[in-house]
Amino acid sequence: MLFKTTEEHEALRARIREFAETELKPQTFMLDQENQFPDDIIKQLGQMGVLGIPYPKEYGGMGLDIISYAIAVEELARVDGGTGVILSAHVSLGAWPIFAYGTEEQKQKYLVPLAKGEKIGAFGLTEPNAGSDAGGTETTAVLEGDHYILNGGKIFITNAGKADTYVIFAVTTPDIGTRGISAFIVEKGWEGFTFGDHYDKMGIRSSVTAELIFNDVKVPKENLLGEEGQGFKIAMSTLDGGRIGIASQALGIAQGAFENALEYSKERVQFGKPICQQQIISFKLADMATKLHTSRLLIYSAADLKEHHEPYGLESAMAKQYASDCCLEIVNDALQIFGGNGYLKGMEVERAYRDAKICTIYEGTNEIQRVVIASHIIGKIAKEEVRPAAKKGALTGVRKKMILKEGTAAERVDSLVEALKGDGYDFTVGIDLDTPISQAERVVSAGKGIGEKKNMELIRALALQAGAAVGSSRPVAETLKYLPLNRYVGMSGQKFKGNLYIACGISGAGQHLKGIKEATTIVAINNNANAPIFKNCDYGIVGDVMEILPLLTAALDNGEAKTPAPPMKKMKRAIPKKTDPGWKTYVCSGCGYEYNQAVGDEENDIRPGTAFKELPEEWTCPDCGEEKTNFIEV
């Protein structure tokens, strides 16, 4: 069989390569350094028709095939991996499910402007508890009259904030697993639909990635995509195609690194000849070229199968897994060929090295790709019966989750102070505001929700009356620079292991929550009732932070200067009691995972009905790996 791209394919490649070299390449260093989205580049690609390459002309597209689309992603990623994934997420994830499952009205309203490049698309599936396992989706959509009310959030969303149209997955029927998930078309700008901060990523920094936040968002019934309960099917079929795009991105990143290394190896002379003539380097280049060629054939084969409406799930999984694994190997060898020069910031091969890794992670990790491939080869294992999934715990472990929403702001503050004093907190003593976070008994932390820098005075005033040190979320210290970097709390910053943590205007990103999971008591103050922090706190006040802070400060003020606090003594965390299920319940002290005797732990061969005490001593928490001895009886 002779497999060869057509003249039209290569003409398109030449056109996009020229654009990438002349328009995109001069900006790549700045885009990477400043974590900046290439607005003008995407606008130009839209005007060229590239954002609608594989869609029919009747819907505003170019009417080209899937191989053409793969080539476009490849050529953009060859110069900048971030721009490659912007196109991939728009075409494969944002637009394709509307094309495949949308009604004619939905296609005319949403697909046409996406294909014409007038709008950008995005796809919202991933959540803190729903990554590789989409069945862990917690975002909900409740039908009320002519609208679904959408609540929850998504993380790690490509094109978030820049996209106009989002395909969002939410639970419409609880407690039946993936069969209860539905898909919706959601528009940017709808009331209650907001975005988190642009993540500061290791690579693909020109691609914006952020959280989506849904707070009572009204989604018209006609924006249901497909039928209720079809969401999981839509998501999985969309990801099958999306893997062709990610494979193409990986191929492009690797191709660019290879070409740069080849050129450098011809110029770099050692021991009297160019290093490309040294056998060890020539063999590296030969292996790199072979991996590129093999990856390209796998990708184009999967694209051709999709184009001709043949089953392609196996081939797209193979292409994504193989091309992204090879990409890591190729960029590693390319940097090695450059030697010390390749390790310097600003070198294209250094950026390619950082860009490459994500290709093995998103749109299905390569571990999941191998699961998909294996299931095609050996068949899916029959399930005995559908059982309720084990309930995921909060990232901060078991918490009281006493959220105060009712009454006046003053009444909510009084209830909070009464509860804290009831827990044994003495607010007549205090510590220095600048006490190191890791040594502080109490911390009052500021998030972006406090607004302007002048409002930090409210945080300091509250910290003084709470007898606490001052801390912050990462954006407040790193982006806004309201505090020094050594004051931010989180998994990548300072860990708080003291008694009382008061989070003011902090939404509760995963990396922040993991930095406070050992706190005895967590208090949250936020105006967003759906903020993740409320699922991870002991006490919370839903309300305007600017209104609550002065009231709480006054309530903690005993009219006298605070006396020095004695050396910190770790207080025992209160574990809320639950209704007796007929057997003892055990909860992981590390992450809050609750062992359910009725469900067992099937992944670790623990049959339903197995009592906790009957579990093997080597058994560990399936969520975080804590040992059995670190579970708490509740």
Side-chain angles (χ1 to χ4, degrees):
M1 178 183 75
L2 174 64
F3 183 84
K4 189 177 180 181
T5 52
T6 64
E7 291 182 6
E8 289 78 9
H9 287 143
E10 294 308 315
L12 176 70
R13 184 191 302 279
R15 180 183 173 206
I16 295 181
R17 179 171 291 200
E18 180 182 8
F19 173 81
E21 289 285 343
T22 58
E23 300 295 331
L24 176 58
K25 194 170 186 176
Q27 301 184 40
T28 53
F29 177 76
M30 176 269 296
L31 294 173
D32 178 66
Q33 288 291 102
E34 299 184 6
N35 209 17
Q36 186 175 331
F37 188 86
D39 291 283
D40 59 330
I41 293 295
I42 300 305
K43 183 177 180 180
Q44 291 178 69
L45 288 173
Q47 293 168 346
M48 292 166 62
V50 175
L51 299 189
I53 277 184
Y55 297 113
K57 293 181 179 180
E58 64 186 283
Y59 292 120
M62 292 182 71
L64 302 182
D65 62 6
I66 305 299
I67 291 179
S68 298
Y69 158 63
I71 288 171
V73 175
E74 176 188 342
E75 289 301 320
L76 290 172
R78 173 182 164 272
V79 171
D80 178 50
T83 304
V85 79
I86 293 170
L87 175 62
S88 177
H90 166 82
V91 172
S92 294
L93 303 183
W96 189 85
I98 300 174
F99 173 66
Y101 294 95
T103 63
E104 186 60 29
E105 290 76 13
Q106 289 173 338
K107 291 177 185 178
Q108 291 297 331
K109 183 175 181 180
Y110 295 108
L111 179 60
V112 170
L114 290 172
K116 286 183 175 180
E118 297 169 352
K119 293 186 176 180
I120 299 174
F123 178 90
L125 177 64
T126 304
E127 299 181 10
N129 287 326
S132 296
D133 178 12
T137 298
E138 295 175 347
T139 296
T140 60
V142 178
L143 183 60
E144 293 185 4
D146 293 332
H147 292 81
Y148 286 90
I149 306 301
L150 189 65
N151 279 291
K154 303 290 178 179
I155 61 172
F156 302 140
I157 305 304
T158 302
N159 294 345
K162 293 293 184 178
D164 307 280
T165 305
Y166 297 78
V167 175
I168 302 298
F169 298 86
V171 175
T172 47
T173 306
D175 302 324
I176 61 171
T178 56
R179 293 180 292 114
I181 299 173
S182 301
F184 300 89
I185 303 171
V186 180
E187 295 181 30
K188 178 183 177 181
W190 282 354
E191 186 177 355
F193 179 17
T194 57
F195 305 95
D197 295 320
H198 180 180
Y199 296 126
D200 190 7
K201 307 186 298 291
M202 177 174 77
I204 59 164
R205 290 170 58 81
S206 59
S207 162
V208 63
T209 313
E211 296 178 32
L212 310 181
I213 302 166
F214 307 107
N215 192 3
D216 291 333
V217 179
K218 284 187 173 183
V219 181
K221 280 172 61 176
E222 57 266 27
N223 278 42
L224 173 68
L225 189 59
E227 300 176 1
E228 275 201 15
Q230 281 192 330
F232 185 74
K233 170 189 171 184
I234 293 172
M236 294 303 104
S237 62
T238 299
L239 290 174
D240 277 345
R243 287 161 186 158
I244 295 174
I246 298 305
S248 302
Q249 179 199 7
L251 174 61
I253 293 170
Q255 182 70 41
F258 168 74
E259 290 176 8
N260 285 324
L262 177 61
E263 180 181 3
Y264 180 80
S265 72
K266 292 177 179 179
E267 298 171 351
R268 173 70 168 165
V269 175
Q270 289 287 278
F271 304 105
K273 57 183 176 181
I275 63 172
C276 66
Q277 295 179 15
Q278 306 287 352
Q279 188 180 67
I280 187 64
I281 301 299
S282 67
F283 279 13
K284 277 186 189 295
L285 293 167
D287 286 344
M288 293 159 76
T290 302
K291 291 170 184 174
L292 286 168
H293 191 67
T294 310
S295 298
R296 187 169 286 111
L297 288 174
L298 265 175
I299 295 165
Y300 291 3
S301 172
D304 206 34
L305 286 170
K306 182 179 180 184
E307 177 65 26
H308 290 92
H309 307 290
E310 297 285 341
Y312 67 95
L314 171 63
E315 288 76 10
S316 67
M318 286 179 168
K320 193 271 187 185
Q321 175 258 308
Y322 184 80
S324 59
D325 278 349
C326 284
C327 177
L328 286 183
E329 296 167 3
I330 290 167
V331 297
N332 185 64
D333 284 343
L335 198 149
Q336 190 71 21
I337 288 170
F338 269 85
N341 288 323
Y343 203 68
L344 300 177
K345 280 283 188 183
M347 296 294 288
E348 291 178 1
V349 72
E350 181 269 341
R351 175 162 49 83
Y353 192 88
R354 288 185 285 109
D355 286 351
K357 178 58 190 171
I358 191 62
C359 296
T360 70
I361 297 172
Y362 54 17
E363 291 197 40
T365 64
N366 280 8
E367 290 78 10
I368 290 295
Q369 302 314 310
R370 288 173 169 86
V371 170
V372 172
I373 294 166
S375 70
H376 278 278
I377 295 169
I378 64 178
K380 294 182 180 179
I381 300 172
K383 295 182 179 179
E384 296 178 10
E385 58 180 300
V386 177
R387 299 190 184 98
K391 186 178 179 181
K392 294 283 185 178
L395 287 175
T396 57
V398 181
R399 296 289 169 179
K400 294 179 181 178
K401 300 178 188 173
M402 184 185 295
I403 312 302
L404 304 168
K405 300 180 182 179
E406 307 301 326
T408 66
E411 289 171 342
R412 280 173 276 157
V413 166
D414 288 343
S415 296
L416 171 63
V417 173
E418 182 181 354
L420 290 175
K421 289 181 177 179
D423 287 345
Y425 286 103
D426 177 7
F427 295 107
T428 66
V429 299
I431 59 176
D432 190 279
L433 298 184
D434 295 322
T435 301
I437 300 294
S438 60
Q439 300 172 22
E441 175 180 346
R442 305 172 190 173
V443 166
V444 172
S445 236
K448 288 187 69 177
I450 66 161
E452 300 177 68
K453 187 174 183 178
K454 65 181 182 181
N455 294 329
M456 285 298 295
E457 291 306 316
L458 296 176
I459 296 294
R460 292 188 177 90
L462 175 58
L464 182 64
Q465 298 305 328
V470 173
S472 75
S473 64
R474 179 171 179 165
V476 168
E478 185 175 56
T479 306
L480 298 177
K481 303 185 187 305
Y482 290 176
L483 289 175
L485 282 174
N486 65 356
R487 304 308 298 179
Y488 89 74
V489 183
M491 181 171 60
S492 58
Q494 301 296 315
K495 311 296 188 299
F496 176 72
K497 301 180 180 181
N499 288 319
L500 179 61
Y501 188 80
I502 304 178
C504 307
I506 295 176
S507 64
Q511 79 91 17
H512 187 84
L513 295 173
K514 289 177 181 177
I516 62 173
K517 68 179 184 178
E518 293 186 51
T520 301
T521 304
I522 298 173
V523 174
I525 304 170
N526 202 293
N527 62 0
N528 177 11
N530 289 316
I533 190 75
F534 286 126
K535 296 180 181 178
N536 290 273
C537 70
D538 295 281
Y539 304 106
I541 294 181
V542 179
D544 184 349
V545 175
M546 294 301 101
E547 180 183 15
I548 300 298
L549 291 186
L551 291 172
L552 182 56
T553 301
L556 297 178
D557 186 357
N558 63 344
E560 299 178 6
K562 306 294 179 181
T563 58
M568 184 176 70
K569 181 178 179 181
K570 184 71 170 173
M571 296 168 66
K572 185 177 180 182
R573 185 190 302 180
I575 303 295
K577 295 290 183 182
K578 292 190 175 183
T579 304
D580 185 7
W583 56 78
K584 292 182 179 179
T585 302
Y586 294 83
V587 172
C588 176
S589 62
C591 71
Y593 167 85
E594 179 180 310
Y595 176 72
N596 187 341
Q597 181 174 325
V599 176
D601 179 11
E602 196 168 1
E603 289 187 7
N604 291 306
D605 298 321
I606 305 299
R607 301 283 299 174
T610 305
F612 183 82
K613 290 187 176 180
E614 296 174 1
L615 295 174
E617 290 305 313
E618 64 272 14
W619 181 83
T620 60
C621 174
D623 276 5
C624 71
E626 282 281 0
E627 296 180 0
K628 178 183 173 184
T629 53
N630 290 329
F631 273 64
I632 303 169
E633 180 185 330
V634 297

